């Protein structure tokens, strides 16, 4: 009986790790898309209701967020 429980726990751990990895990489992709939009809007000077200065602030913040999510993804992938 303990062996069966251990196998189930390993499967759950693997499934959770895989789901976490997918979520982290999805978040990374979304942040990269946002950053591209910020860069485009900054370059064109057209941020709609947002000033270029605010867009630059958002971009800097997102770049830090991207580094954080890349680190989280690395931890998940290396299982540290």
């Amino acid at each position: 009986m303990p062996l069966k429980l251990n196998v189930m726990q390993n499967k759950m751990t693997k499934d959770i790790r895989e789901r976490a990895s997918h979520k982290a990489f999805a978040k990374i992709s979304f942040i990269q898309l946002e950053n591209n939009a910020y860069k485009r809007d900054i370059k064109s000077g057209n941020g709609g209701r947002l000033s270029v200065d605010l867009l630059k602030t958002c971009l800097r913040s997102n770049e830090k967020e991207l580094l954080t999510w890349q680190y989280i993804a690395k931890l998940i992938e290396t299982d540290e």
Side-chain angles (χ1 to χ4, degrees), residues 33-52:
L33 287 172
E34 275 188 325
N35 285 353
N36 289 338
Y38 287 142
K39 289 174 186 176
R40 182 189 64 238
D41 290 346
I42 290 167
K43 186 176 181 178
S44 71
N46 181 17
R49 295 187 295 196
L50 302 177
S51 69
V52 171

Side-chain angles (χ1 to χ4, degrees), residues 52-65:
V52 171
D53 285 339
L54 184 55
L55 289 171
K56 288 178 180 179
T57 300
C58 291
L59 178 59
R60 281 191 302 272
S61 175
N62 254 20
E63 287 172 341
K64 290 177 185 175
E65 187 79 4

Side-chain angles (χ1 to χ4, degrees), residues 25 69-80:
F25 283 105
W69 278 102
Q70 288 171 333
Y71 180 72
I72 290 168
K74 177 185 164 224
L75 292 176
I76 293 166
E77 292 298 306
T78 58
D79 197 25
E80 293 178 14

Side-chain angles (χ1 to χ4, degrees), residues 5-17:
L5 182 60
N6 192 24
V7 169
M8 287 177 58
Q9 287 174 336
N10 285 341
K11 182 175 177 3
M12 280 182 44
T13 302
K14 183 180 175 189
D15 289 345
I16 290 169
R17 191 177 319 120

